[in-house]
Amino acid sequence: MIELKNLSKIYCTDTIETTALNELNLHIKKGSFIAIKGPSGCGKTTLLNIMGLMDKPSKGEMVIVGKNTAHLSEKERNRLRRKTIGFLFQKFNLIASLSVFENVELPLLYEKVDSATRREKVMTILKQLGMEARKDHFPHQLSGGQQQRVSLARCVINDPELILADEPTGNLDSRNGEEVMQRLKDLHKSGRTIVMVTHDDKYASYAEQIIHLNDGMIM
Amino acid sequence: MISKHIRLAFRQILRQKFSFAIAILGFAVGLAVVAHLISYSLYYLDYDRNVENKEEWYRLRYSQIHPELGEFSSASFFIPPAKMLLKDIPEVQDYIVYWPSVIALNLRCDGKPFQMEEKVYVSENFPRHYKMEIIYGDPDSLLNDRNGILISESFSRNFFGDVNPVGKKIYAGGNPQYFISGVFTDLDSNLHLRHDHYSLWYNEDEYRTDSEEDWYLTGHVRVKIPDKEDKQVVEHKLNEILDEYRSVIGQTGRLEVNLDPISKIHFITGLKDDAPTMSILNIYSILVLSFMFLLTAVSNFFIIIGLSWKKRGDEFYFRRALGAGRADIFGQLLGEYGLYFVISVLLGVILYTATMSIFRDICQVDVLSYSLFTLPHAFYGVIALLSLAVLSGVIMSLHHSKLILEQSARQIVQRDRGISILLVVQMIIGFIFIAVAVSVSLQYSNARNLDWCWDSQNTIQYEYLSINDTARQGYYDARILRQRIREIPGVQKESVSNFNLVSKSLDNQNGFHEVEIYLYDSEMDTPIASYLSSCTPDFFRIREIELLSGNIPDEATEAQAVVNRSFADKYLTNPLGSRLRMATDDDSNWYEVVAVVEDCWFFPPHHEMIPMIMILNPYVIKYYQISWQEGSKHNVLPALEELFTDAAGGGVFGYTSKDIELAQAEFYVQDRIYKDISLFMAIFVVIIAVMGVYAVSSVSIHAQMKDISIRKICGAEFSDLFRLYLKKYIYLYILAAIPGMYLAHNLISLYADRFAMQNKFALIAFPAAIIIMIPIVFIPLYLNILKAYKADPTRYLQAD
């Protein structure tokens, strides 16, 4: 699914060079569930951003679903991301001015899916997540757990092969955290590849494999 | 603490150079431009400011009300009653008389021609009226002697150098006639009766109220009435005087006197012999435009500073965490705001000072004497500016200190709405300025390129008094003069008329006599009002004025006339052979219409085309129009000067000359100024609007970077994002275009109403404004969305 070869990310300022990822080599198989752990600043989020095609490596290569991302244009990266990857964030990242329905609908909108199909798909997933009754609510009218469920619905509405989750339970209480992890486990069971960044050993244990990152290197 | 705030403010300027450059520079430019326009407007609003007790003075004007011909108003008043004013009307405390004579005199002083375009006669108290400062001469007896001439400092310096000229003799036709009685410092240029020289009006005893000839004299008469309540009483008494002398005044219809306040006389329109110096509507529209201009600059200033504070939300959050209260945040914001304001004002003053002479050249009025540094109101201006600074600073700082600490979803919505409103306001102003500038330029260009019926380039007009056929001593016979003109190598053609071909006002002195005419009718004589003048029969052929019907004989008899198309269309069904006579002539003195010629503009196109009768056998000839072959100007002009000097040498009358093209350009001075100012402001508005829309959309989009990033990770392409904002901006654009076009239409109408001749093509200004505004609004939006699209979304998704 994902292959990283000697991948490095170096941030440069006028005077300092900071190596966030250092000569990383990693192979993530299709259908696997990976948890990335490590102390703050070790490069977890940077790695996730590069895998999610939101950032580019300074050195090295990344192959995702068989495509070497080094030579992709911005448009191609966009398309690949839209079709293949779903994101789940600690802060939910819902658009405040859009309703629950509209937030979930966004990826389909950009995929140019027709209105009737969009409606059907969104309503189906909201029903699955128990958010059907809240479809017209705005994010500030929802609890943290509900917001994360909406975020999860948006993440999977396009049926992505890869789900990247950046501390998805970080802002939730344990009950809601467990619920989100259960959903991710279900998604994994249905064949999705999941890469999750977490600090919490309890949630890391849901993964098939745990990668420890320190100073930009896999330990 | 304040120094810390200021240091921090400086750092902010350095950190956000572009935004602050737009905010500060835009505000500074706005202040400078508005300061220029205010001084320009004050120049006109404060006309005749140096008159002693200005508010107590009134100009006498009379209206002739005719039951059939309508009403005509004249800025000139009969001079004979002037001396009665003090004697018979106790409410009048003082008066002045002003009478310009346009007949050029052949004057010499110190062996050189002493050229005065016109000789200006004023009453003895005139120097006191205009508070003249006397450099040379006895202030108590400046105009005691009717042969004395009072000259200005610059006139004296040009003619006599640094010598005291008082007592110098001036010779008319070889005889000592006048002398210099005094020199005064140059008068302000915004004086109604400003000249470089004044002579004493006739001694009061010399004109008689029972003489019909003296009642023929009309001039500018002002009276001083200390009590406003007495104005109507004076008008009433003057009406009684005119009634009393009705039989010798020699005008038909009812006469009615009006007293015009001095501060307003130069704005009064519709007078047959005094065009307004400037349209009051132009002044007001310029003030409205400058207010809008300032509004644009100020709104940019407020938005950008407010949004720069918004960007620093984290900083204020940390400060709050470290113990800062709202008062501390307010103090910091106020200190920063004060610095930005002071920098803008200082920069504005520098810009204003640096561009003063440029603006003076554009508007061609002495705005320097109305600069912000010399005006008595300047102090109040500074106080107003400081109050604005403090007030806006307090409001801005209070508002933002609250917003920063307690920002809620409702406030975010309000902020977005506020930004949208400001964007709409900027667009409205942009629409207005562009439409006005385009329309005014088209209208100006159309009026400027008017078909004059004859070649105005390569032509000069000499004004020299001569008597046709029987030249008396002191006059040069017109036929001999014409022959000598034709003999000058390079002269292509010459014509003569008794009316000025480039007349600023249609009055007697320019040869346009507005008279009552009777048209011969089998039933009865029909009275009409028309302009009447005279010219030689060859005038129309030489000046290429199209003959529409009839024939113009080579040698006219005394009873033949030509009428223009306007006259024929208005009054005559079958013009050829029609007969007409002046109301004042006897019943047997009829003229026959032998031809109809095309209308021709001998006057500014602001005036509608006049019905005109031209008698073909002039007794007096004043105007000689001479055209030369291309490239012969430099040979012809010196020869003409020599010829007219010789022609004037033997008599008392002199000559003046006028380049026709330049004289025509003078018709449009006001319009050109208005056009230049509109263009000048439109350019600045476009620059400020581009910067403003860029800054506002930039900050607005920046505030939504998180939303954009979310959309981006959801797969949004650039086109998706652009479409999203485009929809909103198109809506705002339409919302702004409607009031913008409406207001522009009103302003354009104000300008176009000045012209009798309207330009239909000026309507193109509206689509032009819509097209020009498209890149102004949408290119900044495009660039900002592109910038946002290229930004790293992870920065915004993880931060909160």
Side-chain angles (χ1 to χ4, degrees):
Chain A
M1 182 77 199
I2 304 175
E3 192 165 4
L4 309 180
K5 291 179 192 165
N6 301 322
L7 190 129
S8 296
K9 179 72 185 178
I10 301 161
Y11 292 105
C12 298
T13 63
D14 290 343
T15 50
I16 305 168
E17 265 192 9
T18 309
T19 305
L21 297 174
N22 192 1
E23 301 281 333
L24 222 64
N25 287 294
L26 180 65
H27 182 75
I28 298 172
K29 286 183 190 156
K30 190 174 177 187
S32 55
F33 189 160
I34 308 285
I36 302 173
K37 281 190 71 185
S40 288
C42 70
K44 303 185 296 287
T45 301
T46 306
L47 178 59
L48 211 65
N49 288 340
I50 289 173
M51 286 179 181
L53 301 173
M54 290 201 289
D55 203 352
K56 287 181 181 173
S58 309
K59 274 192 270 181
E61 280 183 0
M62 178 172 75
V63 178
I64 189 164
V65 287
K67 285 184 181 161
N68 190 333
T69 59
H71 310 295
L72 295 181
S73 68
E74 188 59 36
K75 212 167 181 172
E76 287 166 332
R77 288 163 70 85
N78 239 345
R79 194 176 306 132
L80 187 60
R81 187 191 309 126
R82 196 165 59 219
K83 290 188 178 300
T84 320
I85 306 168
F87 289 90
L88 204 57
F89 297 95
Q90 179 184 0
K91 303 267 184 180
F92 323 130
N93 285 334
L94 298 176
I95 295 179
S97 56
L98 300 185
S99 67
V100 165
F101 184 94
E102 288 164 336
N103 264 292
V104 177
E105 186 191 29
L106 269 182
L108 299 176
L109 209 63
Y110 297 129
E111 193 59 36
K112 314 279 189 274
V113 175
D114 66 84
S115 161
T117 316
R118 279 201 317 262
R119 181 159 191 84
E120 191 193 328
K121 280 192 163 188
V122 173
M123 289 313 290
T124 307
I125 200 144
L126 286 179
K127 206 179 279 180
Q128 281 173 12
L129 291 166
M131 292 298 292
E132 190 188 11
R134 304 270 182 179
K135 71 178 172 54
D136 294 324
H137 284 62
F138 286 88
H140 68 273
Q141 296 170 311
L142 304 177
S143 70
Q146 288 169 328
Q147 287 192 48
Q148 191 61 301
R149 266 188 274 165
V150 177
S151 182
L152 189 64
R154 187 181 64 189
C155 168
V156 297
I157 190 84
N158 252 359
D159 199 16
E161 291 175 55
L162 173 65
I163 291 172
L164 300 173
D166 191 358
E167 301 202 38
T169 55
N171 265 11
L172 301 175
D173 57 32
S174 58
R175 191 177 62 82
N176 281 310
E178 286 293 345
E179 191 190 326
V180 167
M181 288 313 299
Q182 197 53 54
R183 302 268 179 204
L184 284 176
K185 196 174 170 182
D186 294 344
L187 287 168
H188 172 232
K189 273 185 190 164
S190 65
R192 265 86 168 205
T193 310
I194 296 172
V195 180
M196 177 180 73
V197 166
T198 184
H199 276 110
D200 197 319
D201 288 336
K202 187 174 66 174
Y203 297 133
S205 64
Y206 280 83
E208 291 171 339
Q209 185 189 352
I210 298 173
I211 294 170
H212 288 272
L213 216 57
N214 200 0
D215 290 337
M217 291 184 287
I218 295 172
M219 305 312 290
Chain B
M1 194 57 113
I2 290 172
S3 65
K4 271 188 184 165
H5 293 335
I6 290 173
R7 203 163 51 234
L8 194 66
F10 270 119
R11 281 187 203 147
Q12 291 306 326
I13 293 175
L14 293 175
R15 276 183 62 191
Q16 301 176 55
K17 292 184 198 78
F18 186 68
S19 295
F20 276 100
I22 291 172
I24 292 174
L25 203 64
F27 190 23
V29 169
L31 282 175
V33 170
V34 169
H36 281 313
L37 294 174
I38 286 175
S39 58
Y40 171 79
S41 304
L42 285 175
Y43 176 90
Y44 283 104
L45 291 172
D46 209 14
Y47 234 72
D48 270 8
R49 66 171 163 161
N50 266 353
V51 172
E52 195 180 27
N53 298 322
K54 182 177 163 184
E55 67 287 352
E56 296 178 358
W57 283 90
Y58 299 85
R59 178 186 64 184
L60 298 186
R61 167 165 63 88
Y62 78 91
S63 299
Q64 189 182 352
I65 302 154
H66 198 288
E68 285 159 327
L69 306 178
E71 182 176 339
F72 308 97
S73 255
S74 171
S76 293
F77 197 73
F78 307 102
I79 291 182
K83 73 170 182 179
M84 300 176 189
L85 291 169
L86 293 180
K87 197 176 68 182
D88 296 349
I89 310 177
E91 289 82 3
V92 173
Q93 201 180 70
D94 202 357
Y95 75 95
I96 62 153
V97 169
Y98 161 96
W99 188 75
S101 163
V102 293
I103 299 172
L105 294 176
N106 176 23
L107 302 178
R108 296 182 82 80
C109 183
D110 283 355
K112 296 182 288 182
F114 190 81
Q115 282 186 334
M116 296 193 289
E117 268 199 24
E118 51 190 352
K119 196 150 186 283
V120 179
Y121 298 95
V122 293
S123 48
E124 191 187 338
N125 54 353
F126 190 84
R128 195 176 65 245
H129 180 67
Y130 266 166
K131 292 196 262 185
M132 285 181 180
E133 289 176 35
I134 305 302
I135 303 171
Y136 299 121
D138 177 4
D140 296 328
S141 60
L142 287 168
L143 289 175
N144 279 354
D145 191 321
R146 62 179 293 181
N147 293 323
I149 297 179
L150 192 56
I151 59 173
S152 72
E153 187 182 2
S154 55
F155 189 91
S156 171
R157 187 157 289 135
N158 285 340
F159 196 88
F160 299 106
D162 291 332
V163 177
N164 175 358
V166 172
K168 292 254 186 195
K169 286 192 172 60
I170 297 162
Y171 294 80
N175 301 312
Q177 179 103 26
Y178 305 106
F179 68 95
I180 305 290
S181 61
V183 178
F184 56 90
T185 51
D186 289 352
L187 297 171
D188 289 341
S189 52
N190 57 344
L191 291 182
H192 206 70
L193 311 176
R194 183 184 192 274
H195 290 278
D196 276 330
H197 41 77
Y198 299 95
S199 307
L200 180 66
W201 174 244
Y202 296 93
N203 287 332
E204 286 186 347
D205 296 336
E206 287 186 22
Y207 48 85
R208 305 189 330 267
T209 50
D210 57 353
S211 156
E212 195 171 327
E213 275 184 21
D214 278 1
W215 276 95
Y216 183 71
L217 284 172
T218 56
H220 187 111
V221 182
R222 292 180 177 189
V223 292
K224 185 181 181 185
I225 307 171
D227 189 350
K228 271 186 189 166
E229 304 285 316
D230 292 336
K231 180 175 168 271
Q232 283 186 330
V233 177
V234 174
E235 282 176 345
H236 180 70
K237 287 186 176 175
L238 278 165
N239 281 330
E240 283 181 347
I241 291 176
L242 292 189
D243 276 346
E244 189 184 335
Y245 292 93
R246 197 69 193 77
S247 58
V248 288
I249 290 175
Q251 301 221 21
T252 58
R254 185 165 60 83
L255 298 179
E256 193 176 286
V257 178
N258 300 97
L259 268 60
D260 300 322
I262 290 302
S263 55
K264 292 185 181 156
I265 56 174
H266 78 119
F267 287 131
I268 295 177
T269 55
L271 303 181
K272 67 176 184 182
D273 47 7
D274 190 28
T277 316
M278 171 56 83
S279 157
I280 186 75
L281 295 177
N282 274 4
I283 295 293
Y284 287 148
S285 60
I286 282 174
L287 282 175
V288 169
L289 288 176
S290 57
F291 171 75
M292 286 194 224
F293 187 82
L294 188 62
L295 193 69
T296 315
V298 168
S299 60
N300 276 348
F301 185 73
F302 290 165
I303 296 168
I304 294 168
I305 287 174
L307 292 172
S308 81
W309 287 340
K310 168 78 184 64
K311 267 187 183 177
R312 288 160 60 198
D314 284 352
E315 177 196 325
F316 293 112
Y317 176 78
F318 298 143
R319 283 178 186 275
R320 201 182 171 206
L322 294 170
R326 186 175 169 192
D328 302 304
I329 305 282
F330 168 74
Q332 183 182 343
L333 298 184
L334 191 61
E336 289 184 17
Y337 183 85
L339 180 79
Y340 305 144
F341 201 97
V342 167
I343 294 175
S344 302
V345 170
L346 284 177
L347 204 60
V349 171
I350 293 168
L351 274 173
Y352 170 72
T353 314
T355 52
M356 272 166 84
S357 55
I358 298 172
F359 187 72
R360 184 193 53 194
D361 293 343
I362 289 176
C363 66
Q364 287 193 340
V365 295
D366 181 24
V367 285
L368 297 187
S369 64
Y370 274 80
S371 78
L372 292 189
F373 308 116
T374 54
L375 275 178
H377 318 296
F379 173 73
Y380 300 108
V382 171
I383 297 290
L385 203 61
L386 284 176
S387 310
L388 176 71
V390 172
L391 191 69
S392 60
V394 168
I395 293 172
M396 283 274 289
S397 308
L398 267 176
H399 175 70
H400 283 276
S401 61
K402 188 177 174 202
L403 212 66
I404 283 163
L405 301 183
E406 302 162 15
Q407 186 160 289
S408 65
R410 193 173 61 87
Q411 282 163 334
I412 291 172
V413 172
Q414 278 176 351
R415 185 201 63 203
D416 289 344
R417 195 174 297 152
I419 288 173
S420 299
I421 290 170
L422 286 168
L423 265 172
V424 168
V425 169
Q426 294 223 351
M427 287 188 223
I428 290 174
I429 292 169
F431 277 118
I432 293 173
F433 274 88
I434 293 168
V436 167
V438 172
S439 169
V440 164
S441 302
L442 286 172
Q443 179 76 42
Y444 172 77
S445 151
N446 189 47
R448 192 73 188 82
N449 297 319
L450 184 69
D451 180 9
W452 297 95
C453 300
W454 44 282
D455 171 30
S456 56
Q457 291 177 333
N458 304 324
T459 304
I460 195 165
Q461 178 173 263
Y462 273 84
E463 184 187 333
Y464 170 77
L465 194 67
S466 65
I467 305 291
N468 210 6
D469 297 326
T470 51
R472 297 202 311 254
Q473 190 181 4
Y475 299 98
Y476 204 88
D477 190 301
R479 283 174 304 184
I480 299 172
L481 195 52
R482 290 186 74 180
Q483 183 56 40
R484 288 186 64 185
I485 292 168
R486 282 196 287 264
E487 285 168 4
I488 294 173
V491 167
Q492 195 176 42
K493 51 193 176 186
E494 55 71 46
S495 59
V496 292
S497 65
N498 196 27
F499 56 91
N500 184 355
L501 255 63
V502 274
S503 173
K504 266 191 171 178
S505 56
L506 298 169
D507 55 18
N508 291 346
Q509 293 186 327
N510 281 297
F512 293 88
H513 307 279
E514 194 178 15
V515 291
E516 195 180 331
I517 299 280
Y518 285 119
L519 289 179
Y520 179 80
D521 194 291
S522 56
E523 300 286 321
M524 55 183 289
D525 292 343
T526 316
I528 55 162
S530 174
Y531 282 92
L532 182 134
S533 196
S534 55
C535 58
T536 55
D538 59 3
F539 174 80
F540 304 99
R541 177 180 50 79
I542 295 172
R543 299 286 33 132
E544 298 166 23
I545 298 170
E546 192 185 345
L547 178 67
L548 298 176
S549 63
N551 281 304
I552 302 174
D554 292 337
E555 290 291 331
T557 69
E558 287 184 359
Q560 289 176 319
V562 168
V563 295
N564 67 354
R565 181 204 282 268
S566 287
F567 187 96
D569 287 352
K570 192 168 179 184
Y571 300 118
L572 303 173
T573 320
N574 299 304
L576 299 181
S578 301
R579 294 201 298 155
L580 46 91
R581 72 172 171 89
M582 280 189 272
T584 49
D585 283 354
D586 64 49
D587 206 15
S588 60
N589 204 3
W590 292 91
Y591 293 94
E592 184 191 349
V593 175
V594 293
V596 180
V597 292
E598 185 56 278
D599 284 335
C600 192
W601 300 88
F602 302 120
F603 44 86
H606 308 94
H607 197 297
E608 60 188 28
M609 181 52 72
I610 55 170
M612 196 170 172
I613 302 163
M614 286 151 286
I615 295 166
L616 293 178
N617 198 3
Y619 178 65
V620 176
I621 288 179
K622 265 177 79 179
Y623 299 98
Y624 294 76
Q625 300 92 25
I626 302 127
S627 304
W628 51 82
Q629 289 160 359
E630 198 71 45
S632 307
K633 185 178 182 178
H634 297 298
N635 300 327
V636 171
L637 291 187
L640 284 172
E641 275 300 297
E642 199 179 315
L643 173 58
F644 276 93
T645 307
D646 179 45
V652 293
F653 292 110
Y655 65 90
T656 56
S657 63
K658 220 173 226 176
D659 182 308
I660 296 284
E661 206 179 7
L662 290 180
Q664 280 173 353
E666 277 181 27
F667 291 170
Y668 303 103
V669 171
Q670 276 188 50
D671 310 302
R672 192 187 53 72
I673 291 168
Y674 193 75
K675 177 208 65 160
D676 286 348
I677 287 176
S678 304
L679 277 175
F680 169 80
M681 287 173 75
I683 289 167
F684 277 108
V685 161
V686 165
I687 293 170
I688 288 187
V690 168
M691 295 197 302
V693 172
Y694 184 84
V696 172
S697 59
S698 158
V699 187
S700 160
I701 287 167
H702 184 268
Q704 296 179 57
M705 271 312 288
K706 188 172 172 186
D707 288 5
I708 290 173
S709 301
I710 294 169
R711 288 178 188 275
K712 211 175 151 185
I713 60 148
C714 288
E717 301 268 1
F718 170 73
S719 55
D720 297 315
L721 295 178
F722 187 59
R723 246 197 323 271
L724 181 75
Y725 284 90
L726 190 64
K727 216 153 68 182
K728 180 184 169 190
Y729 272 61
I730 287 175
Y731 169 69
L732 296 178
Y733 183 87
I734 294 168
L735 206 65
I738 296 164
M741 292 293 123
Y742 174 75
L743 292 169
H745 177 262
N746 287 347
L747 282 168
I748 290 165
S749 301
L750 282 184
Y751 177 78
D753 280 351
R754 290 172 38 69
F755 293 93
M757 185 195 57
Q758 296 287 311
N759 180 12
K760 300 281 178 284
F761 293 108
L763 288 175
I764 216 168
F766 298 107
I770 286 175
I771 291 167
I772 295 171
M773 278 299 286
I774 287 173
I776 292 173
V777 173
F778 295 104
I779 289 180
L781 177 72
Y782 177 88
L783 293 175
N784 275 313
I785 293 175
L786 192 64
K787 199 168 134 191
Y789 178 71
K790 285 185 173 170
D792 175 8
T794 59
R795 257 179 72 195
Y796 303 94
L797 294 177
Q798 275 136 25
D800 206 357

